[in-house]
Amino acid sequence: MILSTETGTERTNAPGRIKMPGFSTIMLILGLIFLYLPMFILVLYSFNASRLVTVWAGFSTQWYVELFQDEQLMGAVWISLRIAFYTASMAVILGTVSAFALDRFGKFRGRTAFNSMLTAPLVMPDVITGLSLLLLFVTMADLVGWPMERGMLTIWIAHVTFSTAYVAVVVGARLREVDRSIEEAAMDLGATPLRTFFLITIPTIAPSLAAGWLLAFTLSLDDLVIASFVSGPGSTTLPMVVFSSVRLGISPKINAMATLIILVVSLAALFGWWFMRRSERERRASLERFGTS
Amino acid sequence: MSNLLIKGASATAWGPERVNALRELWGRRLVLGVPYLWLLLFFLVPFLIVVKISFSSAEIAIPPYSSVVEYFDEVLTFTVNLGNYLFLADDEMYLQAYLTSIRLALVATFFCLLLGYPMAYAMAQAPGRKQSFLLMLVLLPSWTSFLIRIYAWMGILKNNGLLNNLLMWCGIIDQPLQILNTNIAVYIGIVYAYLPFMVLPIYANLTQLDKSLLEAANDLGCRPWETFFRVTLPLSMGGIVAGCMLVFIPAVGEYVIPELLGGPESLMIGKVLWQEFFNNRDWPLASALAMIMLLILCLPIAFFNRQQVKQLEASLS
């Protein structure tokens, strides 16, 4: 009982607990180096004056200049950002509703089937998802004349379908944690389920909605395989452009773009972590205030 | 839902209670209906279409396959072409590709677990305020671009790349090792790309571990490693299974990693499917390839789903 109140660092010094944490801590450090070293090298060589990755020829920002002058690449960035924005917004709606239904509706007919359809996209190989959706779009165009041509809309549908699963997982985890008594109180006081959902549930799970939105956004921005299957002329996304360039070999321009992506993601992640820590601290402080008064 | 109906039936005629109950019932149906229909239309129906097209034959047309069902002159004809499946069974190359995919995915999953488990363990042991930061550190790479992280390894592993240069500079090797375009590069790529998906479920599982069990084992004279293998490891099996499935299943169908890092020996089924579809434009054969891949994976997928449901059920009770 006493052990559980101690902090982790003290716990590692407790008798009989030295060996395992020591080994696992080393593995954690090695694992993090393994994860970050390639990205660090990528960033480093984006400032290389030479085109060759192996030779360091001095500091230069010419690849960034070339990156922004590449109209095809910049056009693809814009297309990808728009698809990602609409994907994330729709996936948050569908994912939240799905997670809410699974968590709060108790047992309903077709629950297992619904849950399976919701979680299967998490592990489904991309080539299968991409091929099956393309065949659906072709068949639908044949039968009902829609979609006439494939492009941003079909990519959007495909991306919403698989990112909904991720949003449902993130939001579902949060939904299971929240205190339901406030919702019940609102309903007892005469609020309709719909009103309760928008006035009580949504604000309580808001951080997870934001996390789900960002996750869906990055997933959509990152997808190459599914988009390759369901895209059409004029809707080449960023990963498709990067892939065709990477296939030909190393290009410092891609390093420059990678650096920018890593920079944006790191800043967003650090901000998110700081924000969450702050709100957690505030929550704890207010709890303590209630405890002492 | 059933108790709602009972509640509604017990009220005489159309009392306000029954109206409310009915409204709630239909509200629920409406709420559930939207994602349900979306998933039915865009997730389940496409698979049925893949099944259908895998039984058609390739044609030079738009779309490039023959129709399975035809209605002409009051005659409904079904043309089921088993040729694609027979062709796959006949050609050694496809069987090899399936076996290679499973083997590469299994080995990579194993190494992922070997590295991921201690990482998750160390994270779960860390003091609370460090945990969220470590979690962010592990997940951050997966929020950047997958393609670019695989691309990073191309520069490191190639013959005149950084790793070979470093090893030669140290005097460990005299001539560059061929690592890029081999299975080793594919292993590295899969472990690198999927590591966060292994760490996350195991970490989530380990943080929920009841610490008093470990103390009990300790008090009863268990050695630390014994406690680990007899208490911690069995209790974290749920996380291990989830993590392995999250790595293994997508890795079997991986296309980008064998294409960019692999060589001729690492012919994985995702790559074969891609080539049949995009290079040969043989949509029916690609569909048959996808169906067989799905058949192989449906057992692990069902297993993963059951694990998910179990976790959900456990948290509901």
Side-chain angles (χ1 to χ4, degrees), chain A residues 1 21 113:
Chain A
M1 284 316 280

Side-chain angles (χ1 to χ4, degrees), chain B residues 47-125:
Chain B
F47 286 121
L48 302 177
I49 295 174
V50 175
V51 175
K52 191 194 108 184
I53 289 171
S54 74
F55 287 115
S56 67
S57 50
E59 274 177 4
I60 301 172
I62 298 173
Y65 50 83
S66 66
S67 45
V68 174
V69 187
E70 243 166 334
Y71 183 74
F72 182 71
D73 230 10
E74 296 181 345
V75 180
L76 187 67
T77 22
F78 291 93
T79 325
V80 176
N81 172 26
L82 298 174
N84 299 310
Y85 290 97
L86 293 177
F87 183 71
L88 290 185
D90 223 32
D91 197 329
E92 191 84 342
M93 191 264 278
Y94 296 106
L95 180 70
Q96 275 305 313
Y98 280 112
L99 292 178
T100 308
S101 304
I102 294 170
R103 202 185 66 228
L104 291 180
L106 269 180
V107 173
T109 307
F110 175 72
F111 281 112
C112 227
L113 179 65
L114 225 54
L115 179 59
Y117 196 96
M119 284 177 77
Y121 189 88
M123 282 163 66
Q125 292 286 314

Side-chain angles (χ1 to χ4, degrees), chain B residues 181-204:
Chain B
N181 302 331
T182 66
N183 282 347
I184 297 173
V186 176
Y187 292 140
I188 294 175
I190 296 176
V191 172
Y192 185 69
Y194 289 96
L195 188 61
F197 297 104
M198 180 64 88
V199 175
L200 188 63
I202 297 176
Y203 164 76

Side-chain angles (χ1 to χ4, degrees), chain A residues 176, chain B residues 205 238-239 242 306-316:
Chain A
R176 288 195 287 278
Chain B
N205 190 301
R306 226 183 53 140
Q307 200 75 25
Q308 281 285 109
V309 172
K310 232 196 290 179
Q311 240 167 22
L312 207 68
E313 248 47 330
S315 58
L316 277 178

Side-chain angles (χ1 to χ4, degrees), chain A residues 186-252:
Chain A
M187 300 246 243
D188 286 346
L189 291 169
T192 60
L194 199 67
R195 217 175 139 78
T196 313
F197 179 74
F198 280 109
L199 288 180
I200 309 289
T201 315
I202 289 285
T204 348
I205 60 170
S208 72
L209 296 186
W213 192 93
L214 283 172
L215 187 60
F217 188 83
T218 55
L219 285 169
S220 166
L221 212 55
D222 200 20
D223 167 63
L224 163 75
V225 174
I226 296 172
S228 301
F229 274 97
V230 299
S231 77
S235 61
T236 310
T237 62
L238 178 64
M240 288 159 77
V241 176
V242 171
F243 185 62
S244 57
S245 141
V246 161
R247 246 177 168 175
L248 301 174
I250 309 285
S251 150

Side-chain angles (χ1 to χ4, degrees), chain B:
Chain B
M1 214 147 76
S2 56
N3 57 16
L4 272 179
L5 287 173
I6 294 162
K7 216 205 277 175
S10 66
T12 48
W14 285 86
E17 198 177 323
R18 180 166 177 183
V19 172
N20 269 345
L22 269 179
R23 191 187 278 168
E24 197 175 323
L25 180 65
W26 279 101
R28 281 181 172 198
R29 283 189 182 164
L30 199 70
V31 164
L32 194 58
V34 178
Y36 216 132
L37 282 180
W38 183 288
L39 288 172
L40 273 181
L41 182 58
F42 295 121
F43 189 72
L44 198 65
V45 173
F47 286 121
L48 302 177
I49 295 174
V50 175
V51 175
K52 191 194 108 184
I53 289 171
S54 74
F55 287 115
S56 67
S57 50
E59 274 177 4
I60 301 172
I62 298 173
Y65 50 83
S66 66
S67 45
V68 174
V69 187
E70 243 166 334
Y71 183 74
F72 182 71
D73 230 10
E74 296 181 345
V75 180
L76 187 67
T77 22
F78 291 93
T79 325
V80 176
N81 172 26
L82 298 174
N84 299 310
Y85 290 97
L86 293 177
F87 183 71
L88 290 185
D90 223 32
D91 197 329
E92 191 84 342
M93 191 264 278
Y94 296 106
L95 180 70
Q96 275 305 313
Y98 280 112
L99 292 178
T100 308
S101 304
I102 294 170
R103 202 185 66 228
L104 291 180
L106 269 180
V107 173
T109 307
F110 175 72
F111 281 112
C112 227
L113 179 65
L114 225 54
L115 179 59
Y117 196 96
M119 284 177 77
Y121 189 88
M123 282 163 66
Q125 292 286 314
R129 69 210 135 72
K130 267 194 201 159
Q131 278 187 15
S132 66
F133 185 71
L134 285 172
L135 187 65
M136 190 204 74
L137 272 187
V138 169
L139 290 181
L140 196 143
S142 65
W143 297 328
T144 66
S145 169
F146 173 82
L147 199 53
I148 276 168
R149 292 194 301 141
I150 298 304
Y151 162 75
W153 280 101
M154 288 172 69
I156 296 171
L157 297 178
K158 64 180 190 169
N159 278 358
N160 57 350
L162 289 166
L163 185 65
N164 272 317
N165 280 0
L166 183 75
L167 290 177
M168 290 212 287
W169 183 76
C170 293
I172 299 170
I173 50 170
D174 300 326
Q175 52 192 31
L177 294 171
Q178 168 80 31
I179 306 174
L180 189 67
N181 302 331
T182 66
N183 282 347
I184 297 173
V186 176
Y187 292 140
I188 294 175
I190 296 176
V191 172
Y192 185 69
Y194 289 96
L195 188 61
F197 297 104
M198 180 64 88
V199 175
L200 188 63
I202 297 176
Y203 164 76
N205 190 301
L206 284 174
T207 50
Q208 285 163 8
L209 196 77
D210 189 353
K211 291 257 162 43
S212 57
L213 290 173
L214 301 181
E215 283 154 27
N218 207 13
D219 291 346
L220 293 171
C222 238
R223 287 164 176 281
W225 59 268
E226 225 176 345
T227 312
F228 174 76
F229 282 108
R230 293 177 69 169
V231 182
T232 313
L233 195 62
L235 282 176
S236 57
M237 220 29 114
I240 294 176
V241 169
C244 287
M245 294 298 145
L246 276 173
V247 175
F248 176 74
I249 301 169
V252 169
E254 187 53 60
Y255 165 70
V256 176
I257 296 173
E259 172 71 26
L260 292 181
L261 298 179
E265 54 168 358
S266 29
L267 190 64
M268 289 177 77
I269 201 65
K271 199 173 147 182
V272 175
L273 194 155
W274 180 284
Q275 282 166 354
E276 290 297 346
F277 184 87
F278 285 102
N279 304 0
N280 300 346
R281 277 186 73 75
D282 194 337
W283 293 17
L285 193 66
S287 304
L289 279 167
M291 280 331 292
I292 295 177
M293 199 199 306
L294 208 58
L295 271 180
I296 295 171
L297 292 179
C298 73
L299 216 65
I301 290 175
F303 197 52
F304 173 75
N305 270 340
R306 226 183 53 140
Q307 200 75 25
Q308 281 285 109
V309 172
K310 232 196 290 179
Q311 240 167 22
L312 207 68
E313 248 47 330
S315 58
L316 277 178
S317 61

